[in-house]
Amino acid sequence: MLKYEAPVLSKFFLSQTETDQSLADLGDDDRLFPAYRAVMVSDGTLTQMLSALHLEDIVTRCEENDEGLPDPEQRSWLEIGGEPCIRRRVTLNGASSGRTYVRALSYLYPPRLPAPFLDELSRPGSSLGTQILRSRIPSRRELIWVRRGADSVYSRLYRIIVQDRPAILIQEDFVDIGAPSQ
């Protein structure tokens, strides 16, 4: 495998150098299938990328969709004070295999999001990325960091900017990062 300099990948993240884990793990860990390196730095719709990578439909299962208060670091990335948000926990699973690929925790700040968008997210199986595309909300994603945590699970944190303000903060934990089965 080619070795690289950490700055090559760190330029994709707002706060990679401030994290307690090294981005070098993305290139040095032989267990990380190379296509997943691209997924980690992508700002596209994750369910579509996982579907293409694993050649199966991806099902979003919402496990929690309640009011919650982000921790201080999360509030700083959302640029809010002590206001409550919608806390949403989901898993992204293979429709055929049943494999869990990703567990995600999101905080949505309702004053910065259209009500119809929030209403659609309460439907079973709805995913944030797909709903953003469907609703045509002008938005962009900012990748904040990626790190390797317990049990070699990779995580990334990013926020979705709507009307030049952070509206959604998402942490995705990649549970299954192995090579796709053929």
Side-chain angles (χ1 to χ4, degrees), residues 115-136:
F117 171 81
L118 295 170
D119 291 342
E120 283 297 315
L121 283 179
S122 63
R123 290 184 177 199
S126 64
S127 77
L128 280 171
T130 301
Q131 190 53 38
I132 286 172
L133 290 175
R134 280 188 191 144
S135 65
R136 299 179 191 255

Side-chain angles (χ1 to χ4, degrees), residues 68-86 107-112 159 165-169:
L69 185 62
D71 69 29
E73 180 186 1
Q74 294 164 331
R75 289 195 304 268
S76 73
W77 286 115
L78 278 170
E79 299 176 4
I80 61 172
E83 301 93 342
C85 292
I86 296 171
Y107 284 98
L108 296 82
Y109 187 57
R112 296 182 187 152
R159 62 186 180 176
R165 299 294 311 268
I168 304 171
L169 185 70

Side-chain angles (χ1 to χ4, degrees), residues 57-178:
D57 288 332
I58 301 298
V59 176
T60 301
R61 290 200 177 98
C62 185
E63 298 173 355
E64 178 184 5
N65 194 31
D66 292 314
E67 188 174 282
L69 185 62
D71 69 29
E73 180 186 1
Q74 294 164 331
R75 289 195 304 268
S76 73
W77 286 115
L78 278 170
E79 299 176 4
I80 61 172
E83 301 93 342
C85 292
I86 296 171
R87 181 178 51 231
R88 181 176 158 89
R89 289 183 196 275
V90 301
T91 58
L92 302 180
N93 305 291
S96 303
S97 69
R99 290 167 60 182
T100 298
Y101 296 110
V102 175
R103 290 187 181 94
L105 171 63
S106 306
Y107 284 98
L108 296 82
Y109 187 57
R112 296 182 187 152
L113 294 164
F117 171 81
L118 295 170
D119 291 342
E120 283 297 315
L121 283 179
S122 63
R123 290 184 177 199
S126 64
S127 77
L128 280 171
T130 301
Q131 190 53 38
I132 286 172
L133 290 175
R134 280 188 191 144
S135 65
R136 299 179 191 255
I137 296 173
S139 64
R140 63 186 167 84
R141 296 172 193 227
E142 292 182 337
L143 301 168
I144 298 170
W145 53 249
V146 64
R147 61 177 65 145
R148 189 171 59 163
D151 302 324
S152 297
V153 171
Y154 280 86
S155 297
R156 72 175 183 169
L157 182 71
Y158 65 95
R159 62 186 180 176
I160 297 176
I161 308 296
V162 175
Q163 296 182 356
D164 295 321
R165 299 294 311 268
I168 304 171
L169 185 70
I170 303 170
Q171 180 174 331
E172 295 166 335
D173 298 325
F174 291 80
V175 179
D176 189 335
I177 57 170

